[in-house]
């Protein structure tokens, strides 16, 4: 199947790091993505990683990719209340532009 | 301008109505997408247009009819919908199709559709 799994909910204190995990299915995915969705809004691309990379850092965001285990994670350093949202990982299917989104993780940041 | 606009923001329609959702972008993107997102679920791809031609149809029922009249506009015509079609309909655009680069998909805010 094409299920991309994420844990449903994560709660962190402001200033701490958040780690959101994702398990994907298609080993031929060229790129893997992290999107953010705030309430009532569309999706915003946060970052992506090419499938032959292990890690990518982009300011407060660090993406780790374990291709053997098909595991992707997003670490947000110094998490702020404005980071509260739903985070979706997504994989591109083979060499297509079709994105399969994960089940989504709701991140709640408390002061 | 990196904005994708969608109208209307909210739509309530009966099962016998015909309505249309509209999406517009002025970024010069040549690929445009329709997604359906049910509550507390991830977006699911419905259609992809590339250079104004339908490229992907994810086996969507014919009561949903997409149209791309020009490179900036994407419509979704709705007819004889069912209550289970109630969802957030998201439009997105990207520079092009092709896996050589991760062409970022820019999403609109969506149209929240309720079918009564």
């Amino acid at each position: 199947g094409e299920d991309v799994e994420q844990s449903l909910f994560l709660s962190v204190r402001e200033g701490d790091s958040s780690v959101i995990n994702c398990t994907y299915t298609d080993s031929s995915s060229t790129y893997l993505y992290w999107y953010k969705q705030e309430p009532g809004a569309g999706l915003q691309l946060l970052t992506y990683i090419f499938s032959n990379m292990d890690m990518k850092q982009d300011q407060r965001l660090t993406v780790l990719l374990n291709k053997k285990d098909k595991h992707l994670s997003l670490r947000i350093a110094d998490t702020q209340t404005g980071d509260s949202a739903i985070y979706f990982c997504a994989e591109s299917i083979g060499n297509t532009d079709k994105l399969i989104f994960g089940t989504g993780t709701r991140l709640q940041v408390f002061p | 301008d990196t904005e994708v606009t969608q109208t209307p923001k909210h739509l309530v329609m009966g099962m016998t109505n015909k309505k249309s959702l509209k999406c517009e972008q002025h970024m010069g993107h040549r690929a445009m997408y329709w997604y359906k997102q049910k509550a507390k679920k991830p977006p699911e791809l419905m259609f992809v247009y590339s250079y104004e031609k339908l490229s992907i149809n994810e086996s969507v029922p014919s009561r949903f009819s997409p149209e791309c009249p020009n490179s900036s506009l994407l419509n979704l015509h709705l007819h004889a919908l069912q209550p289970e079609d109630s969802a957030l309909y998201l439009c997105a655009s990207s520079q092009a199709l092709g896996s050589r680069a991760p062409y970022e998909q820019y999403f609109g805010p969506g149209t929240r559709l309720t079918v009564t």
Side-chain angles (χ1 to χ4, degrees):
Chain A
E2 296 181 335
D3 291 339
V4 180
E5 298 288 338
Q6 297 178 239
S7 51
L8 277 179
F9 188 76
L10 177 65
S11 180
V12 299
R13 188 180 298 276
E14 193 174 17
D16 287 352
S17 293
S18 310
V19 179
I20 301 171
N21 294 304
C22 168
T23 303
Y24 63 97
T25 58
D26 189 338
S27 57
S28 65
S29 292
T30 309
Y31 292 97
L32 294 133
Y33 305 81
W34 282 103
Y35 280 85
K36 175 183 180 183
Q37 186 175 32
E38 298 187 50
L43 280 75
Q44 174 196 358
L45 179 66
L46 291 176
T47 188
Y48 63 89
I49 187 166
F50 190 46
S51 56
N52 70 353
M53 296 170 65
D54 298 324
M55 186 182 90
K56 180 179 179 182
Q57 186 148 5
D58 186 358
Q59 298 182 336
R60 291 193 297 127
L61 306 178
T62 303
V63 179
L64 295 178
L65 175 60
N66 180 329
K67 218 175 164 184
K68 175 175 163 289
D69 295 337
K70 295 185 192 149
H71 185 262
L72 182 72
S73 68
L74 174 69
R75 178 176 179 270
I76 306 173
D78 187 24
T79 313
Q80 302 297 307
T81 54
D83 295 323
S84 294
I86 300 176
Y87 290 79
F88 292 98
C89 62
E91 59 174 344
S92 56
I93 297 299
N95 280 329
T96 73
D97 291 280
K98 179 179 172 180
L99 290 181
I100 300 295
F101 287 88
T103 46
T105 299
R106 181 177 293 277
L107 173 66
Q108 183 176 0
V109 182
F110 57 93
Chain B
D1 180 10
T2 57
E3 195 180 18
V4 176
T5 58
Q6 290 187 245
T7 55
K9 202 168 179 180
H10 300 275
L11 178 63
V12 180
M13 62 184 289
M15 289 189 283
T16 58
N17 290 159
K18 282 185 183 180
K19 296 286 184 184
S20 296
L21 308 185
K22 296 187 184 302
C23 173
E24 192 166 1
Q25 57 87 14
H26 294 290
M27 294 178 277
H29 289 174
R30 302 316 299 266
M32 296 186 78
Y33 311 73
W34 279 116
Y35 289 85
K36 174 182 178 179
Q37 186 178 25
K38 301 280 281 183
K40 299 188 195 298
K41 295 289 186 186
E44 294 179 347
L45 183 67
M46 300 174 73
F47 302 103
V48 181
Y49 271 82
S50 175
Y51 289 86
E52 297 147 57
K53 291 196 185 328
L54 186 62
S55 175
I56 297 175
N57 176 342
E58 288 290 300
S59 303
V60 179
S62 59
R63 57 186 185 269
F64 295 92
S65 175
E67 180 199 15
C68 190
N70 61 56
S71 58
S72 301
L73 291 174
L74 184 67
N75 298 322
L76 186 63
H77 302 299
L78 313 172
H79 174 53
L81 294 194
Q82 304 296 310
E84 59 265 29
D85 296 321
S86 298
L88 181 69
Y89 288 84
L90 294 163
C91 173
S93 70
S94 67
Q95 186 179 338
L97 294 186
S99 59
R100 288 182 177 272
Y103 293 121
E104 176 177 356
Q105 291 187 26
Y106 290 82
F107 282 80
T111 293
R112 188 159 298 283
L113 174 68
T114 303
V115 182
T116 61

